Amino acid sequence: MATDEKRTLKVDVGEHGLKQHDLRVWTVVFMVFSLVAAGAYGIEEMIPAAGAGLTLVMLMVLPFVWGLPFGLVASELGSARPQEGGYYKWVQEALGEFWGFQAGWWRTVSVYIDNSLYVILAGSYLASQWELNPWAEYAIKAGIILVFTYINIRGIKDVGLITTILSLLVIVAFAIVAIAGFSNWNSNPFIPFTSDGEIMGASGFSFGEWIMFIGAGLAVGIWMYSGYESMSTMAGEVKNPQVIPKATLLTIPLIMAVYILPTMAGLASIGSWDSWGTSSDSIGYADVVTTFWGAGFGVFFVVIAVLANCSIYNTYIASGSRGFFALADDHLAPKTLVKVDKKHGVPYVAVLSIAVVNLILARLPFETVIIVDVFLLISSYIMVYISAMILRKRLPDEAYKFKIRGGFPFLVVLCVVPIIIGVLSFFVNGTDYFIGGLIGIATGPVMYVIWKLMYGGLAKKDPVHYPLNPRTRLGVGDLKRIAGVFYGFAIAGFVAVPWLRWFEGDWAADYYSETYSAWYYGFLDNFDTMLNVILIIAGIFVAIAIACTVAAF
């Protein structure tokens, strides 16, 4: 086997009956647009948390240090390795079976959680507009899940058509917001710069306060500019997969415009930065056009909000289902997930699995579901960045149909900067997010061991290059890798406790007590208890790491 193919085993699309479709560039543009954005919904939460000016600056800066780098990296890797499974197969080729599974598991589980969030938001928008009771709200959520599950079972061509229509409606709606806001400009949208509220400018704050303001908006900002790699998981079903990197590059400026222009226009026209949000009593993008062009636009934007979340949900069912399909093809997930509908050529069991998970999670509050999500997403992105640098050195130039200019040193800068931002974001998103994320990413090595032992892994496909340890039945060196992962998790936990006590100490007790007052949140309402839980988790991780280290020798 050639050197550059040694660590990857391509998914045989035809073997399982997946159908290939001829998708145009602009169809893929709208699919990527929906996977990343589908509107500026969510930015409303950044404004009162970080401040008006800082939110706008972050929306302008994050594309260049987070969104654009990943868009470029996903385009480069997608041009060299356009295959079903996308980012999972990229990491597998660069770092091997264990790390490939981690990236595939983390991002796919993140998509399953993300999908639930979009359904929850769509239902919440309708419930707040028409004052629906909880059962009526859940019925709407279930209806959304069932309708778009059916569309996805019909294949990605139908997914692309519906997504194109919904995306065009969303883009037009936010263009209307920008026009209404800019034509009624009456204040500086950058003031106040932070959420301090008393100091209007950008000076007069301590280092700790700056970290707090940035951290308050960073998680949402990263989330808003993530998803460029998701289309890659369906590359095996596209007749000309090179349309994916082309569409990705076209989508980047479109998303920036949809985020920045309406937000700036809204703050410059109606202001009230501290009252923005996604709840029914908050100010949002709909209020911009309602204020200046009439109340009818309020209902219009509720409909657009629902369609935007449906658009994201529709496209992510397609992307997320292919993640577990690729894992199952490599004997690292239940084989039933590779079952394909004979008529439409779609992995229908994987699609239905998303629907089942979403039906369960849609009953939970938004805050409960999201706390696990951010760590999983960022962790998988870090793996892709590392893989991009490794594969640039390993693959020949002719393997790339698109290559980031500037040579290897520029690629390193392009990858290392967002890796640093991603790692730092772990510690500034909040104690609740840290606990949820720490538990979430720990499921990666745990599920790898379980499914590797149950299904055999890549040793079933290629026992020469992926040999098993006859004593453990895991891959050779896996125990050392697992030990390293848990040592790393434990160190992060021990470092986080004193940091979070300093970073959040002045306001944490009151904030978490108010935010998680309901009984079902458990210990999340007590800041000191959460810090103790982190220490306990870190201690358990150390014990697991030591046990794996001993067993490896």
Side-chain angles (χ1 to χ4, degrees):
M1 186 175 290
T3 303
D4 65 310
E5 296 177 342
K6 180 178 179 180
R7 291 173 180 250
T8 186
L9 293 172
K10 192 171 182 178
V11 176
D12 190 339
V13 176
E15 176 189 349
H16 299 295
L18 286 176
K19 287 186 178 180
Q20 291 191 319
H21 301 273
D22 186 13
L23 298 182
R24 297 179 182 274
V25 172
W26 282 105
T27 299
V28 181
V29 165
F30 291 124
M31 291 182 74
V32 176
F33 175 79
S34 288
L35 288 165
V36 179
Y41 299 106
I43 292 173
E44 304 101 319
E45 297 291 342
M46 287 179 68
I47 297 169
L54 185 56
T55 295
L56 288 173
V57 170
M58 291 175 73
L59 291 177
M60 295 174 187
V61 172
L62 278 174
F64 297 101
V65 297
W66 184 263
L68 179 61
F70 204 81
L72 291 171
V73 165
S75 297
E76 176 171 301
L77 291 173
S79 76
R81 289 292 186 264
Q83 57 180 304
E84 200 76 1
Y87 52 83
Y88 156 63
K89 303 302 289 186
W90 303 337
V91 177
Q92 183 190 95
E93 180 171 3
L95 298 169
E97 180 183 27
F98 174 79
W99 290 111
F101 180 90
Q102 302 313 306
W105 170 265
W106 288 335
R107 186 61 180 119
T108 303
V109 171
S110 171
V111 170
Y112 274 58
I113 295 171
D114 268 345
N115 268 10
S116 303
L117 294 175
Y118 304 131
V119 174
I120 291 170
L121 285 174
S124 299
Y125 286 137
L126 290 174
S128 62
Q129 180 69 25
W130 285 288
E131 299 181 357
L132 302 176
N133 64 50
W135 285 108
E137 180 180 348
Y138 182 72
I140 290 173
K141 293 175 183 176
I144 292 171
I145 292 169
L146 295 175
V147 167
F148 287 100
T149 297
Y150 171 74
I151 291 172
N152 268 267
I153 287 177
R154 291 183 57 84
I156 64 169
K157 195 162 188 176
D158 283 7
V159 172
L161 175 62
I162 299 298
T163 299
T164 298
I165 295 170
L166 296 179
S167 296
L168 285 171
L169 288 172
V170 170
I171 292 170
V172 169
F174 279 94
I176 291 172
V177 173
I179 294 169
F182 283 131
S183 61
N184 291 277
W185 184 301
N186 58 44
S187 62
N188 187 340
F190 289 89
I191 294 178
F193 193 77
T194 70
S195 58
D196 175 78
E198 295 181 5
I199 301 176
M200 296 294 104
S203 60
F205 300 107
S206 66
F207 175 72
E209 288 174 322
W210 270 116
I211 295 177
M212 181 182 70
F213 294 137
I214 294 172
L218 186 60
V220 175
I222 286 177
W223 190 45
M224 296 298 292
Y225 279 113
S226 297
Y228 288 104
E229 83 298 343
S230 298
M231 188 69 198
S232 67
T233 61
M234 298 172 273
E237 296 165 73
V238 180
K239 287 184 178 179
N240 178 18
Q242 295 304 330
V243 301
I244 297 176
K246 291 178 184 177
T248 300
L249 294 176
L250 290 171
T251 309
I252 293 170
L254 176 63
I255 291 171
M256 290 176 63
V258 169
Y259 286 172
I260 297 169
L261 297 180
T263 305
M264 182 181 293
L267 290 170
S269 56
I270 62 174
S272 302
W273 65 274
D274 55 344
S275 298
W276 282 63
T278 54
S279 62
S280 58
D281 58 347
S282 301
I283 291 176
Y285 295 103
D287 294 287
V288 179
V289 286
T290 300
T291 300
F292 302 112
W293 291 355
F297 277 94
V299 176
F300 170 73
F301 257 82
V302 169
V303 174
I304 292 297
V306 173
L307 291 178
N309 283 283
C310 288
S311 178
I312 302 174
Y313 182 67
N314 178 44
T315 320
Y316 262 121
I317 293 176
S319 174
S321 60
R322 274 59 172 185
F324 276 148
F325 173 88
L327 285 169
D329 180 73
D330 284 341
H331 305 282
L332 288 168
K335 291 301 293 181
T336 187
L337 292 172
V338 299
K339 288 186 177 180
V340 173
D341 177 76
K342 293 181 179 179
K343 180 179 180 181
H344 300 294
V346 171
Y348 69 94
V349 174
V351 171
L352 292 173
S353 72
I354 292 184
V356 171
V357 171
N358 294 162
L359 285 168
I360 296 170
L361 294 181
R363 292 284 298 163
L364 300 176
F366 181 87
E367 296 83 359
T368 303
V369 178
I370 198 173
I371 60 175
V372 182
D373 183 44
V374 178
F375 262 39
L376 294 171
L377 183 148
I378 294 175
S379 298
S380 66
Y381 275 26
I382 290 173
M383 301 304 300
V384 174
Y385 280 123
I386 294 171
S387 299
M389 292 185 283
I390 292 173
L391 292 178
R392 175 66 78 86
K393 285 291 188 180
R394 184 179 297 167
L395 299 182
D397 289 341
E398 55 268 23
Y400 294 95
K401 304 297 186 294
F402 165 79
K403 199 169 186 179
I404 300 168
R405 295 184 179 182
F408 186 72
F410 180 72
L411 178 66
V412 170
V413 173
L414 200 69
C415 294
V416 169
V417 171
I419 287 175
I420 293 172
I421 292 172
V423 172
L424 292 177
S425 72
F426 290 165
F427 297 93
V428 298
N429 284 343
T431 306
D432 49 351
Y433 278 68
F434 188 87
I435 291 175
L438 201 61
I439 295 172
I441 57 177
T443 61
V446 171
M447 290 307 302
Y448 173 79
V449 171
I450 294 173
W451 281 354
K452 176 78 171 176
L453 293 176
M454 289 180 66
Y455 305 114
L458 287 174
K460 282 195 169 183
K461 278 188 169 184
D462 186 356
V464 175
H465 292 109
Y466 297 93
L468 292 178
N469 182 326
R471 183 166 55 90
T472 64
R473 292 192 297 124
L474 298 174
V476 174
D478 276 348
L479 282 178
K480 293 180 181 178
R481 297 182 188 98
I482 294 170
V485 169
F486 279 105
Y487 279 128
F489 292 166
I491 291 171
F494 289 129
V495 170
V497 170
W499 161 260
L500 291 169
R501 192 178 295 280
W502 171 80
F503 178 54
E504 298 184 319
D506 293 338
W507 49 268
D510 292 338
Y511 171 78
Y512 290 115
S513 178
E514 293 175 8
T515 304
Y516 300 108
S517 57
W519 65 270
Y520 46 74
Y521 286 119
F523 61 85
L524 293 178
D525 66 338
N526 190 300
F527 179 58
D528 289 327
T529 301
M530 285 197 290
L531 295 181
N532 289 331
V533 168
I534 293 174
L535 289 175
I536 293 171
I537 294 173
I540 293 172
F541 286 171
V542 169
I544 294 173
I546 292 173
C548 290
T549 302
V550 172
F553 293 99

